[in-house]
Amino acid sequence: MTARITREEIRHVADLARLELDDEAVETFVGQIGRILEYVATLESVDTDGVEPMSHAISLKNAFRPDEPGEHLDNAEALANAPEKDDRSFLVPRVVG
Amino acid sequence: MQPYQLTIAEASDLLQARELSAEELTRSVLGRIEALDGEIGAYISVAADQALAAARRADEAFSRGEAGPLTGIPLAVKDLICTRGVATTCASRILENFVPPYDATVIEKLRQAGAVVVGKANMDEFAMGSTTENSGLQPTRNPWNGGHVPGGSSGGSAAAVAADMCLGALGSDTGGSIRQPASHCGVVGLKPTYGRVSRFGLVAFASSLDQIGPLGKSTRDCARLLSVISGHDRRDSTSVPEPVPDYEVALDRELGDVTVGIPVEFSVSEGLDPDVSAAVQRAVATIESLGVRCREVRLPHAQYAVAAYYVIAPSEASSNLARYDGVKYGFRDAGGGDLMEMYRRTRSRGFGAEVQRRILIGTYCLSSGYYDAYYRKASQVRALIREDYARAFESCDVILSPVAPTPAPAFGEIADDPLTMYLSDIFTLSANLAGIPALSVPCGFSSAGLPIGLQLSAPHFGEQVLLQVAHRYEQAADLQGKKPPLDG
């Protein structure tokens, strides 16, 4: 486990997360996140050999239910909060150049 | 005495006896909000017209003799629980104008029980924070001292209850976000067992940890709210089909043979404020005086809870918050350019600094080459923390600890340094990691007059014993008459 994170890694992760960071933000985050990851590295000292990772607090088997049509939002309701739309779709800026 | 000062149980009795109308009660609470909330800032929005309409429906229900357990009771709801037709912002610019087209399951249940939702309470943006200072919309002041924060992330809910600007509230708790503000504001707050309450309509932060729960002026009020909101929901696949008892009726039963465990690791914790330590020790003495046995227990992995949590919660958040892309709802930065540029601009301008920080940490921990070292490792340590609790509960029924290492900090005192803020969650995170229920009940005041809470936790679905012990303690400690120094 690396203890610190580099500026390049912050930029790469920001790109993966679709965040735009200016140089000042990169500088702030590299320090803060570096210290947080350094603290998190204390986990390394815990012996976890053979321990099954825990994903949920309560063990539930798959929660199946019949696949039947039920109540749902109509088009107008589903589109009501969209920043840009026409009468039946969400509108987005061009995707390919 | 003004109607807004009543507890839910007291108000309900007066409403049933027709000595008070639901409309009078709601008007009294709305008047209190009008008088105080400009200063406190607990509410992001107040739905006065809808509340009065609901109150009049409640009065009609009383005339027909059809009242439910919460009929006519004015409540606040944290602003990340969807309310049909009423804005639900998560205290974020990115959702500032979002008006949900449906009610969360807990809101449906409150309405069926006759409750009156008066408004939406402030919080740290997307519930990320411990002081409510990360709200993207406004600060909330602690009703006991305006220079101090109310705690967080459900700071608005806790402040509204403490200042009598509602009779009870709903919050959400991912790492202590109900219990810690309850402690800082001198009210009762309960995080139920993971799966006890449906999260359909709760805006997701960290899905393996999030849980909705009540805040109230008394343990009894929290028990009543919990009975109403609990239960299986086919729309939340993590909700558990476990029968829902009447938690309020259980309060008055004999306590029986109960043992309280006190973790040795917590009593020697660094950075524990002497006033908090003294208040918790007095609470132990009070509980022992009730004939309850107290004994030491061990939670050897509790010291790793902060590190495990601050991998798991940001990882899940980075995935959950991918949905805010400026397309389907919320804010869009329409600055030109292609789709990818729109995503980046929207998310960078829509999310505040703490939310961006957690998205970055989470994306990093889940990214190729780091997953095993971070998320998998943290999930293994989480399993050890859960095992610690299972072992400790073999020799006790309830575990007692502080809620927070200090009383409410002043504005700016801890929020400027993320790691310092994260470390203040040390006593509350473990319950979320283990999925067990835990509550905060007032246990005293600091020398500066700020409230201090006592945390009690129990095994999965042990809410009854938790509420019983808290109720008995609350009666013996007799702190309920204490109110913040406010003149409305």
Side-chain angles (χ1 to χ4, degrees):
Chain A
M1 200 186 284
T2 47
R4 287 179 189 284
I5 188 165
T6 64
R7 286 175 189 76
E8 288 63 42
E9 283 174 312
I10 289 282
R11 286 201 180 86
H12 172 62
V13 168
D15 189 53
L16 291 175
R18 309 287 181 253
L19 291 170
E20 187 179 70
L21 304 183
D22 60 23
D23 289 348
E24 197 189 332
V26 170
E27 216 50 46
T28 307
F29 283 138
V30 83
Q32 290 171 339
I33 294 175
R35 281 194 297 284
I36 292 162
L37 292 175
E38 218 164 288
Y39 178 76
V40 160
T42 55
L43 293 176
E44 278 176 57
S45 64
V46 186
D47 179 5
T48 54
D49 269 3
V51 176
E52 192 61 30
M54 169 180 166
S55 56
H56 273 76
I58 306 286
S59 305
L60 281 180
K61 295 269 186 290
N62 279 337
F64 291 122
R65 62 174 161 79
D67 183 18
E68 290 159 353
E71 276 180 55
H72 58 86
L73 298 179
D74 65 31
N75 241 36
E77 285 176 311
L79 289 168
N81 279 284
E84 233 185 300
K85 63 202 169 201
D86 62 19
D87 56 357
R88 57 192 187 92
S89 343
F90 299 110
L91 296 184
V92 297
R94 84 191 132 80
V95 179
V96 284
Chain B
M1 188 165 187
Q2 298 295 324
Y4 58 72
Q5 292 172 292
L6 298 164
T7 64
I8 293 175
E10 290 164 349
S12 229
D13 288 349
L14 292 175
L15 290 167
Q16 297 277 5
R18 312 299 301 272
E19 287 169 32
L20 174 70
S21 77
E23 188 172 342
E24 283 171 303
L25 177 58
T26 293
R27 284 193 190 282
S28 169
V29 166
L30 290 171
R32 179 74 168 170
I33 295 170
E34 183 72 32
L36 284 183
D37 205 40
E39 181 60 26
I40 292 177
Y43 285 97
I44 288 173
S45 60
V46 177
D49 292 345
Q50 287 103 319
L52 286 167
R56 284 190 280 267
R57 282 196 300 277
D59 282 326
E60 286 160 22
F62 279 114
S63 332
R64 291 192 307 268
E66 289 171 3
L70 293 174
T71 300
I73 300 298
L75 301 174
V77 172
K78 189 177 183 179
D79 208 17
L80 82 175
I81 296 174
C82 286
T83 40
R84 187 186 172 105
V86 175
T88 298
T89 68
C90 292
S92 180
R93 281 201 59 201
I94 213 160
L95 280 179
E96 201 169 350
N97 302 314
F98 174 61
V99 179
Y102 64 95
D103 275 329
T105 297
V106 291
I107 299 296
E108 284 181 357
K109 285 175 177 282
L110 289 183
R111 294 197 204 287
Q112 278 157 15
V116 173
V117 175
V118 289
K120 304 299 291 289
N122 196 26
M123 52 185 281
D124 287 296
E125 183 179 4
F126 283 101
M128 297 179 191
S130 311
T131 66
T132 309
E133 288 166 284
N134 293 334
S135 169
L137 304 181
Q138 65 193 46
T140 298
R141 298 185 178 280
N142 192 311
W144 293 87
N145 183 331
H148 290 252
V149 301
S153 66
S154 309
S157 297
V161 174
D164 290 324
M165 295 193 290
C166 60
L167 271 62
L170 293 188
S172 68
D173 190 314
T174 304
S177 282
I178 290 174
R179 292 160 283 157
Q180 185 258 33
S183 173
H184 286 347
C185 290
V187 302
V188 183
L190 168 70
K191 180 204 92 73
T193 306
Y194 185 80
R196 174 75 295 184
V197 177
S198 167
R199 303 177 302 171
F200 177 75
L202 170 73
V203 176
F205 159 17
S207 301
S208 78
L209 303 161
D210 297 339
Q211 190 58 199
I212 296 173
L215 296 97
K217 300 178 190 179
S218 70
T219 302
R220 180 175 295 283
D221 286 1
C222 285
R224 185 176 299 194
L225 287 166
L226 182 65
S227 298
V228 169
I229 62 174
S230 291
H232 180 251
D233 178 9
R234 63 198 297 274
R235 295 175 296 187
D236 175 1
S237 64
T238 65
S239 75
V240 177
E242 183 83 17
V244 180
D246 186 326
Y247 291 108
E248 195 178 347
V249 166
L251 287 186
D252 301 316
R253 289 200 196 114
E254 279 299 307
L255 201 48
D257 190 20
V258 170
T259 303
V260 168
I262 301 169
V264 273
E265 291 81 5
F266 286 174
S267 52
V268 296
S269 175
E270 279 172 48
L272 186 62
D273 181 277
D275 288 351
V276 173
S277 176
V280 171
Q281 274 164 24
R282 279 196 305 275
V284 171
T286 305
I287 286 174
E288 281 178 327
S289 76
L290 297 170
V292 173
R293 246 187 341 273
C294 291
R295 54 164 297 163
E296 282 190 348
V297 292
R298 294 193 177 273
L299 298 171
H301 297 92
Q303 58 177 311
Y304 301 106
V306 176
Y309 179 89
Y310 281 97
V311 172
I312 292 167
S315 294
E316 295 181 6
S318 72
S319 167
N320 274 323
L321 271 58
R323 74 191 66 181
Y324 303 102
D325 57 3
V327 174
K328 304 174 291 296
Y329 34 68
F331 165 78
R332 171 188 290 193
D333 186 313
D338 64 10
L339 182 66
M340 203 61 92
E341 279 174 60
M342 187 279 281
Y343 288 158
R344 286 203 191 91
R345 262 203 307 271
T346 295
R347 290 167 60 79
S348 307
R349 287 160 187 69
F351 291 133
E354 179 62 23
V355 174
Q356 294 196 36
R357 189 154 41 239
R358 296 206 195 183
I359 291 173
L360 291 170
I361 295 169
T363 307
Y364 179 74
C365 291
L366 294 177
S367 64
S368 173
Y370 294 106
Y371 176 86
D372 281 354
Y374 288 106
Y375 193 78
R376 188 183 151 83
K377 182 77 180 182
S379 301
Q380 289 175 308
V381 173
R382 182 179 182 183
L384 295 174
I385 291 170
R386 182 178 58 177
E387 278 172 32
D388 281 356
Y389 274 100
R391 210 164 295 129
F393 283 127
E394 285 170 10
S395 64
C396 68
D397 306 286
V398 168
I399 288 177
L400 178 154
S401 77
V403 177
T406 67
F411 280 90
E413 192 177 330
I414 63 166
D416 292 346
D417 178 42
L419 185 56
T420 305
M421 186 179 74
Y422 297 173
L423 291 170
S424 74
D425 298 339
I426 177 73
F427 297 118
T428 48
L429 299 174
S430 293
N432 300 81
L433 291 169
I436 58 173
L439 62 73
S440 172
V441 58
C443 73
F445 292 87
S446 70
S447 48
L450 290 163
I452 296 170
L454 176 75
Q455 179 170 241
L456 300 171
S457 55
H460 295 135
F461 299 101
E463 279 87 350
Q464 288 199 55
V465 66
L466 203 56
L467 287 161
Q468 277 180 312
V469 173
H471 177 61
R472 292 296 303 279
Y473 168 71
E474 186 180 67
Q475 288 176 316
D478 197 25
L479 293 161
Q480 260 188 293
K482 305 244 185 193
K483 289 283 187 180
L486 298 165
D487 30 66

